[in-house]
């Protein structure tokens, strides 16, 4: 079976973006994407590589869910703000969830059901509008 790569070369997505339910999607490479004007959802893919290195802001919700082979969130190292919820859940191979530039999330931040998770790093986080949940990892 051939693995697919998602390529995106833009600096701004005015509306939501999603990569969902792609059985052969192993890589997302969008190194120039700087902001998403709505929701970014990456769920139920076989990702091993996530490279959205220039992404600084998601205006609404950011969800990383059900990506069984994703080992880390290193490809989101420049993310500074999430305008709504940040949800990282049910990523079976996720070992590290390091978001070194994240300063704020206006509602909830949650890490739930990531079975292999051993490390969460949020060294720049100064504001969460509602709650931080770390459950069942």
């Amino acid at each position: 079976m051939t693995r697919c790569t998602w390529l995106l070369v833009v600096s701004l997505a005015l509306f939501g973006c999603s990569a969902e339910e792609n059985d052969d999607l192993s890589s997302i490479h969008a190194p120039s994407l700087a902001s998403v004007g709505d929701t970014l959802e990456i769920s139920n893919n076989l990702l091993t590589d996530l490279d959205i290195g220039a992404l600084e802001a998601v205006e609404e919700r950011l969800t990383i869910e059900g990506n069984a082979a994703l080992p880390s969130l290193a490809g989101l190292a420049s993310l500074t703000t999430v305008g709504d919820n940040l949800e990282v859940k049910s990523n079976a191979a996720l070992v590290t969830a390091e978001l070194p530039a994240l300063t704020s999330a206006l509602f909830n931040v949650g890490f739930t059901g990531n079975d292999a998770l051993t490390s969460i790093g949020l060294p720049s986080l100064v504001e969460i509008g509602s709650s931080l949940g770390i459950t069942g990892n």
Side-chain angles (χ1 to χ4, degrees):
M1 200 176 281
T2 304
R3 295 287 177 216
C4 298
T5 300
W6 192 65
L7 295 174
L8 185 62
V9 183
V10 296
S11 60
L12 172 67
L14 295 177
F15 301 104
C17 297
S18 67
E20 303 175 64
E21 307 286 339
N22 297 288
D23 293 338
D24 294 327
L25 185 64
S26 63
S27 177
I28 293 179
H29 184 72
S32 299
L33 181 64
S35 67
V36 174
D38 199 332
T39 296
L40 175 58
E41 183 166 352
I42 300 170
S43 61
N44 299 311
N45 301 293
L46 291 178
L47 290 179
T48 56
D49 181 36
L50 176 60
D51 176 14
I52 311 177
L55 184 66
E56 295 179 359
V58 176
E59 297 298 321
E60 295 294 328
R61 180 174 41 89
L62 172 58
T63 302
I64 310 291
E65 177 180 6
N67 299 288
L70 186 65
S72 78
L73 299 180
L76 295 170
S78 297
L79 183 67
T80 60
T81 58
V82 176
D84 196 330
N85 294 330
L86 168 61
E87 303 169 341
V88 179
K89 57 186 176 182
S90 303
N91 298 288
L94 189 67
V95 175
T96 60
E98 308 288 331
L99 297 169
L102 185 68
T103 59
S104 66
L106 295 183
F107 288 97
N108 303 311
V109 174
F111 298 89
T112 306
N114 301 291
D115 295 337
L117 190 61
T118 60
S119 175
I120 297 172
L122 304 166
S124 300
L125 188 63
V126 295
E127 178 185 14
I128 295 175
S130 185
S131 66
L132 171 64
I134 301 171
T135 309
N137 297 290

